[in-house]
Amino acid sequence: MNSPCGPRSRRRPHPRAETEPAGPEVTGELVLQRAEAGDPAAIELVERQGRRLARIVGVLGSLYDPELVIVSGRIAAGIEPVLRVTRPLLVR
């Protein structure tokens, strides 16, 4: 049966997807830990998030002109590596 968006996908999972064991669950905490340990892939993710955060804060800053941006929630405890990328990108 076809959906309104087109025919159903006929793609099958990659054969190894069913036989290879799953790795550890990737969490923000794990990425930050691995970045601090020097893992190149984790460092790239942290840098990408830092650039993204700088763009978001820049847009919101141009709209609202805040004096301070507060990062809160579960991410706040480990955000420093991301902020090291973000801070130099923000114009004061």
Side-chain angles (χ1 to χ4, degrees):
M1 175 180 210
N2 289 337
S3 76
C5 298
R8 290 186 179 178
S9 173
R10 295 176 190 211
R11 295 180 63 188
R12 296 184 182 157
H14 191 279
R16 286 185 287 167
E18 296 175 6
T19 59
E20 290 183 0
E25 180 182 358
V26 178
T27 64
E29 182 180 11
L30 178 63
V31 171
L32 291 169
Q33 288 172 356
R34 289 194 176 171
E36 288 293 315
D39 181 307
I43 291 169
E44 173 55 33
L45 286 172
V46 168
E47 290 175 351
R48 186 180 324 158
Q49 292 308 311
R51 292 188 301 269
R52 182 173 290 156
L53 181 59
R55 284 194 306 273
I56 292 167
V57 170
V59 168
L60 292 175
S62 68
L63 293 172
Y64 299 109
D65 193 26
E67 291 183 28
L68 178 67
V69 175
I70 298 173
V71 177
S72 63
R74 290 181 63 190
I75 190 72
I79 194 86
E80 188 55 38
V82 175
L83 293 179
R84 281 194 295 259
V85 176
T86 303
R87 285 186 189 109
L89 299 173
L90 296 174
V91 178
R92 295 186 187 244

